[in-house]
């Protein structure tokens, strides 16, 4: 007999419908899975047999053929265990479920018939809802993740037996629901706070500007000046994720298997800090089967690269295209996939190989130049703010008064972002100043005579590129937004220029 069950396969961060066709034929006992399965899918036959036995079902005899259609789409992972098992039960008349075709299902079977969570459930739920499927059956550990999609009923099951009882109507559980508004009502108690940073007021100002406009930031200073401490507190002053951003971020983390069991959404902006020994594939994503890398896992959040010159230059150069486009495209023999990668880049580095300032370093000028030369000019041009940090003075370290809290800084950041959202409401691709293109720059960054003259003098004196010119305008626009100013002033441009002068002073 023949039975058909609906499931889905992941391709990048998207899910594609898969029909699981199960045919029982006569002849010697044989279990064949076709349709481009990987090793984990082929091994499901052994898990399914054991799960059927321990769940009180009979293992069908004869020639069993399982076809995963469409055949040209590669199928990966153990999520097809549940649909294969239920397809076998339906084909052998052990499961009588007239509405079987209305359900999409996935889950990994333990040998005793219990269900384990799988990755990529949120993309499957979104695709099933888009295809107007009636319901989705998932392991209990994935129920919250799937239930954030409101256009489809989600049923959580803990075992193969429970899934069969649900389909036959012997149990009638209520669909799993999640209050998405409550998911964002988390407390920031215990999170790193900007008030803990002693001194470094100019650095705090730069972080506020970066957060308000979504700008990239480079921190340069000797060890102990607080570069990493400041970077780790940047997420606390960023605006909270919107539901749309949370869904997109969660899709990536779910596909990568990083979403914690039982969690519905990623509700905090990601902060990714890969080690400087990371490879191209680790940063961009890839391997034989393309998967999200660190820059995609940092989507809608922060990518922090500490000890920037210690990264291989080839790895750093791969950042140039994602920084411009907000996405990364990976081509492999298995196919081409595009992952979102709209992140804030925050980098930190020492000014010299021995960590001291150039005037105090024992390194030769050539060694210093070679060290700094590991970072190319085109990459520096894509970093909006360059900031030099000096050692913190004793009076600042010993001060009893705490600095300004992350909460108060974030309030100003949110107010500036709100102005930007209103300004760019007609553009779907621009949500903050850092994303502005030439059209938005012309419309939103007009300069008066004084500001234009100051910018011209800075361009000529510092020999800045055209890209640096646009970055200065974007930063100046953010500075004006923080001051609730409609037009750019010469002071806004002057402050923006000072964040660009560092690369020409040190790299020249």
């Amino acid at each position: 007999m023949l039975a058909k069950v609906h499931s889905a396969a992941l391709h990048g961060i998207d899910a594609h419908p898969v029909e699981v066709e199960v045919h029982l034929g006569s002849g010697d006992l044989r279990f064949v899975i076709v349709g481009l399965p990987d090793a984990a899918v082929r091994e499901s036959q052994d898990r399914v047999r054991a799960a059927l036995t321990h769940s009180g079902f009979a293992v069908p005899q004869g020639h069993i053929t399982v076809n995963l259609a469409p055949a040209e789409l590669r199928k990966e992972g153990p999520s097809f265990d549940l649909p294969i098992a239920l397809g076998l039960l339906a084909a052998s008349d052990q499961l009588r479920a007239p509405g079987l075709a209305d359900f999409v299902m996935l889950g990994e079977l333990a040998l005793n018939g219990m269900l384990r969570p799988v990755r990529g459930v949120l993309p499957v739920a979104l695709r099933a809802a888009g295809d107007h499927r009636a319901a989705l059956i998932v392991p209990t550990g994935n129920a919250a993740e799937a239930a954030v999609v409101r256009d489809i009923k989600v049923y959580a099951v803990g075992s193969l037996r429970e899934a069969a009882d649900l389909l036959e109507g012997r149990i009638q559980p209520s669909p799993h629901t999640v209050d998405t508004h409550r998911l964002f009502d988390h407390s920031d108690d215990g999170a790193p706070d900007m008030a803990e940073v002693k001194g470094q007021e100019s650095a705090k100002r730069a972080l506020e500007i970066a957060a308000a406009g979504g700008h990239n930031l480079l921190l340069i200073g000797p060890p102990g000046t607080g570069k990493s401490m400041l970077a780790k507190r940047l997420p606390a002053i960023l605006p909270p994720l919107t539901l749309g951003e949370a869904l997109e971020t969660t899709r990536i983390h779910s596909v990568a298997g990083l979403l914690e069991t039982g969690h519905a959404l990623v509700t905090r902006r990601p902060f990714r800090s890969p080690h400087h020994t990371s490879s191209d594939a680790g940063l961009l994503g890839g391997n034989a089967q393309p998967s999200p890398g660190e820059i995609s896992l940092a989507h809608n959040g922060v990518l922090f690269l500490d000890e920037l010159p210690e990264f291989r230059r080839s790895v750093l150069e791969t950042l140039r295209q994602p920084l411009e486009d907000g996405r990364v495209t990976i081509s492999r023999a298995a196919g081409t996939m595009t992952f979102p990668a709209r992140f804030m880049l925050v980098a930190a580095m020492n000014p010299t190989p021995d960590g001291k300032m150039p005037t105090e370093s024992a390194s030769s000028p050539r060694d210093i130049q070679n060290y700094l030369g590991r970072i190319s000019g085109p990459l520096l041009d894509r970093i909006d703010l360059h900031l030099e940090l000096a050692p913190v003075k004793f009076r600042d370290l010993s001060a009893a008064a705490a600095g300004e809290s992350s909460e108060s800084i974030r309030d100003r950041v949110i107010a500036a972002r709100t102005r930007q959202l209103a300004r760019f409401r007609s553009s779907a691709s621009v949500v903050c100043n850092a994303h502005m293109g030439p059209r938005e720059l012309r419309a939103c960054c007009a300069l008066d005579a004084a500001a234009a003259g100051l910018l011209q003098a800075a361009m000529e004196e510092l020999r800045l590129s055209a890209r640096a010119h646009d970055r200065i305008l974007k930063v100046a626009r953010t500075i004006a937004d923080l001051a609730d100013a409609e037009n750019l002033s010469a002071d806004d441009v002057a402050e923006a220029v000072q964040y660009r002068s560092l690369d020409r002073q040190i790299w020249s």
Side-chain angles (χ1 to χ4, degrees):
M1 294 185 63
L2 178 67
K4 184 185 295 184
V5 180
H6 294 283
S7 189
L10 296 175
H11 184 78
I13 63 170
D14 297 317
H16 295 265
V18 171
E19 291 185 352
V20 181
E21 300 174 317
V22 180
H23 175 259
L24 296 183
S26 58
D28 296 335
L29 179 61
R30 190 180 177 195
F31 200 131
V32 178
I33 301 177
V34 297
L36 211 58
D38 71 347
V41 179
R42 290 193 296 270
E43 291 171 353
S44 69
Q45 57 182 291
D46 298 313
R47 293 191 295 271
V48 167
R49 281 199 187 102
L52 289 173
T53 300
H54 286 279
S55 300
F57 297 107
V59 178
Q61 302 300 306
H63 190 165
I64 302 171
T65 303
V66 177
N67 178 42
L68 307 177
E72 71 272 9
L73 180 66
R74 185 173 179 82
K75 322 301 187 304
E76 299 178 331
S79 62
F80 294 100
D81 289 2
L82 180 61
I84 289 174
L86 292 172
L88 274 173
L89 292 176
S92 60
D93 283 334
Q94 298 182 74
L95 175 67
R96 294 179 175 84
L100 185 61
D102 296 331
F103 289 84
V104 175
M105 58 195 70
L106 66 164
E108 177 186 350
L109 284 171
L111 298 184
N112 62 357
M114 302 303 291
L115 277 174
R116 295 191 175 108
V118 293
R119 62 185 179 91
V121 169
L122 179 57
V124 173
L126 290 168
R127 182 57 190 260
D131 291 341
H132 305 291
R133 295 291 180 186
L136 180 67
I137 298 178
V138 299
T140 302
N142 294 124
E145 175 186 354
V148 298
V149 182
R150 299 182 178 180
D151 299 329
I152 190 170
K153 295 179 180 178
V154 175
Y155 293 101
V157 294
S159 66
L160 174 59
R161 170 60 71 177
E162 189 178 349
D165 290 344
L166 169 65
L167 290 169
E168 289 191 324
R170 285 194 290 270
I171 59 174
Q172 295 180 344
S174 300
H176 195 87
T177 58
V178 171
D179 185 351
T180 54
H181 296 290
R182 290 190 61 184
L183 295 176
F184 292 90
D185 292 339
H186 50 64
S187 173
D188 289 328
D189 292 343
D193 195 290
M194 201 68 75
E196 301 163 349
V197 179
K198 299 290 187 178
Q200 301 297 13
E201 297 304 321
S202 61
K204 294 176 186 178
R205 168 66 173 173
L207 258 69
E208 181 178 340
I209 295 171
H215 302 291
N216 303 319
L217 174 67
L218 174 63
L219 302 171
I220 303 179
T225 52
K227 301 186 295 295
S228 299
M229 187 178 188
L230 286 161
K232 291 176 181 178
R233 281 152 180 77
L234 178 59
I237 65 173
L238 289 172
L241 285 170
T242 64
L243 179 58
E245 289 175 330
L247 284 170
E248 193 170 36
T249 304
T250 304
R251 287 173 67 190
I252 301 170
H253 285 244
S254 177
V255 167
L258 298 179
L259 189 65
E260 295 182 33
T261 300
H263 281 219
L265 282 175
V266 175
T267 56
R268 298 178 186 270
R269 293 193 179 271
F271 181 87
R272 305 294 299 183
S273 181
H275 193 260
H276 61 77
T277 57
S278 297
S279 64
D280 299 24
L283 209 61
L284 293 180
N287 300 319
Q289 297 297 322
S291 57
E294 289 291 340
I295 64 173
S296 294
L297 294 173
H299 182 62
N300 290 322
V302 176
L303 177 69
F304 177 49
L305 301 183
D306 201 5
E307 304 296 343
L308 186 66
E310 302 301 329
F311 284 81
R312 292 201 299 273
R313 181 157 183 163
S314 62
V315 174
L316 293 179
E317 293 306 297
T318 60
L319 292 174
R320 288 160 57 178
Q321 181 256 337
L323 284 172
E324 289 290 329
D325 300 337
R327 62 182 182 273
V328 57
T329 300
I330 303 169
S331 297
R332 297 290 187 270
T336 299
M337 297 183 187
T338 299
F339 298 106
R342 180 72 73 184
F343 57 91
M344 283 181 60
L345 174 63
V346 179
M349 61 176 290
N350 297 326
T352 61
D354 59 7
K356 299 179 180 179
M357 296 304 291
T359 55
E360 304 171 352
S361 175
S363 302
S364 68
R366 179 177 294 274
D367 289 340
I368 296 175
Q369 188 64 36
N370 290 338
Y371 175 74
L372 300 176
R374 298 177 188 176
I375 306 168
S376 68
L379 178 59
L380 281 174
D381 273 348
R382 288 167 169 82
I383 301 178
D384 304 349
L385 298 99
H386 311 156
L387 187 68
E388 183 178 2
L389 276 68
V392 183
K393 296 180 180 179
F394 174 77
R395 66 171 179 268
D396 292 326
L397 288 173
S398 58
E404 188 176 17
S405 69
S406 294
E407 184 178 0
S408 61
I409 298 174
R410 183 174 57 205
D411 289 341
R412 294 195 297 270
V413 168
I414 292 174
R417 285 285 187 107
T418 301
R419 297 184 190 100
Q420 294 165 46
L421 288 172
R423 182 184 302 129
F424 304 129
R425 59 182 176 271
S426 61
S427 176
S429 60
V430 180
V431 296
C432 61
N433 290 333
H435 302 165
M436 284 193 292
R439 181 183 303 175
E440 290 80 17
L441 280 173
R442 289 194 300 270
C444 307
C445 299
L447 301 178
D448 58 23
L454 191 153
L455 181 55
Q456 179 182 359
M459 293 287 297
E460 294 172 353
E461 178 69 21
L462 301 174
R463 303 191 302 277
L464 299 176
S465 67
R467 181 179 285 112
H469 168 274
D470 291 349
R471 301 275 173 174
I472 290 172
L473 289 179
K474 294 176 183 180
V475 173
R477 179 67 267 174
T478 299
I479 294 170
D481 287 339
L482 283 169
D484 196 15
E486 185 65 28
N487 300 314
L488 302 187
S489 68
D491 290 341
D492 299 330
V493 174
E495 185 176 0
V497 167
Q498 79 171 5
Y499 294 123
R500 295 296 308 186
S501 61
L502 186 60
D503 57 332
R504 299 311 174 190
Q505 292 173 359
I506 291 184
W507 268 260
S508 61

